[in-house]
Amino acid sequence: MQIKAPRGTYDILADDSYKWQYIEKVMKEVAEIFGYNEIRTPLFEHTELFERGVGESTDIVTKEMYTFHDKAERSLTLRPEGTASCARALIEHSLYNGVLPVKWYYTGPMFRYDRPQTGRYRQFHQFGIEAFGSNSPHLDAEVILVLVEILLRLGLKNYELHLNSVGCPECRENYRRHLIEHITPVKDKLCEDCQLRYTQNPLRVLDCKNESCHKAIEGYPTLYDNLCDECRNHYTKVQETLKDSGVAFIHDDNLVRGLDYYTNTAFEIHIPGIGAQSAVGGGGRYNGLVKDCGGPDLPGIGFALGIERLLLAIDTLGKKDFKAANIDVVVITMSDKYEDLAIQVLNHLRRHNIRSEKDYTGRSPRAQMKYANKLGARVVVLIGDEEVENGCLTIRNMQNKEQIQVENQELISNINNIL
Ligand code: AMP
């Protein structure tokens, strides 16, 4: 039986990997301009980290984690997101004692066991940033600005930024009570999931994908109306800073985000036209997370962008043509007795940064020429009896078909003149 990639995973082949490199380059450049440095954490962590850090009532923890026991019977989990690992690393290396805020970016695969569809995979990739150690609303705005700047540099101007505040634990608890009171009389009209979770986490009903749940709770009290003064001021300042920075946003009462650790600012970016999964990224403040993970009471804020969904969005622009890098030069031998010499020429070309190749499958000279055409070579170097006798090499310009013989030491300059 043929072995295929597991459901919900896929290969990134050569032409596509250039798109990935391009996007990753833009994201890293922007993050670094804003003062964020790269962190790389393990792809798996102790399961407990995500239970504590992401939250035990979340879909991610209850349904979607790839959890396994290793040979020593430790429960480990392939990371479903990046923030909990960053909080763990911050605590483990006591970086909260150093210069604050600690500003990091990361990129890499994440794993969630969900039903695959366009824009949703079991191994997918995120780029994210995190800033620990400041509760300034200016930092909230900065994090959103990083996200917006990335989208603009990728040419994705048609994004929609949704913004809300989910308050602090106190105003949220207050709100929770109001919301449960509002939902209880209509609870039978909710979907099965919401009926189960509304007493535990009623905010998730706002987040539900079923239109019927939204209809059932129409006229519900909003988080915004229940914010305490401090949270309301914080939210107002974030909004003002975004306005002053020229960033348009939509205040969205339904936006609560799926993860338990958010406090205050929550945001999501949507790009229309990329299918049902239109959220390309989201994030927010998570002031309780570091403490929940066993560290000091240190505030934090961040976002994660889904790279697959960014790619879908970039494809809708239909502009940029990504291709694997062409080979510039192919070294062709007229007889296999010159193979060793061809290797020396190839080494010489590559040392001078010229993308070059030779045949490794015993092709005839004619077939080597075809191979050079297929690779898109602009120059071939020919090695035959005549060249060896005269101690020179022949260069063929594949565009105008002109051939010249050159001395070995003039090879590079002559090729560079054509390329
Ligand atoms: P989250 O960590 O759930 O807030 O997700 C942040 C972003 O990651 C989303 O907006 C998506 O772009 C992306 N994302 C989340 N889950 C998946 C998935 N299963 N497949 C592809 N992208 C995903």
Side-chain angles (χ1 to χ4, degrees), residues 390-395 404-412 414-415:
N390 297 342
C392 64
L393 294 160
T394 297
I395 295 176
I404 48 165
Q405 287 201 342
V406 298
E407 303 279 327
N408 288 344
Q409 62 270 26
E410 285 164 10
L411 180 69
I412 302 297
N414 275 283
I415 287 180

Side-chain angles (χ1 to χ4, degrees), residues 155-208:
L156 300 169
K157 297 193 192 87
N158 59 334
Y159 66 84
E160 273 176 17
L161 169 62
H162 291 239
L163 196 65
N164 196 9
S165 170
V166 296
C168 62
E170 285 83 55
C171 42
R172 203 151 64 199
E173 187 44 41
N174 195 17
Y175 176 61
R176 219 175 82 94
R177 277 202 315 277
H178 281 113
L179 195 55
I180 293 176
E181 272 167 29
H182 180 85
I183 295 175
T184 306
V186 294
K187 71 172 192 316
D188 295 342
K189 295 188 185 150
L190 301 179
C191 72
E192 227 172 275
D193 265 359
C194 284
Q195 292 200 18
L196 278 178
R197 66 190 175 191
Y198 93 93
T199 43
Q200 200 181 6
N201 193 351
L203 267 72
R204 297 300 314 282
V205 182
L206 308 185
D207 202 28
C208 183

Side-chain angles (χ1 to χ4, degrees), residues 223-241:
L223 258 164
Y224 184 77
D225 288 335
N226 284 272
L227 292 181
C228 65
D229 286 349
E230 202 180 327
C231 289
R232 186 176 289 239
N233 289 341
H234 186 99
Y235 188 44
T236 305
K237 191 73 204 163
V238 175
Q239 289 177 304
E240 280 170 7
T241 314

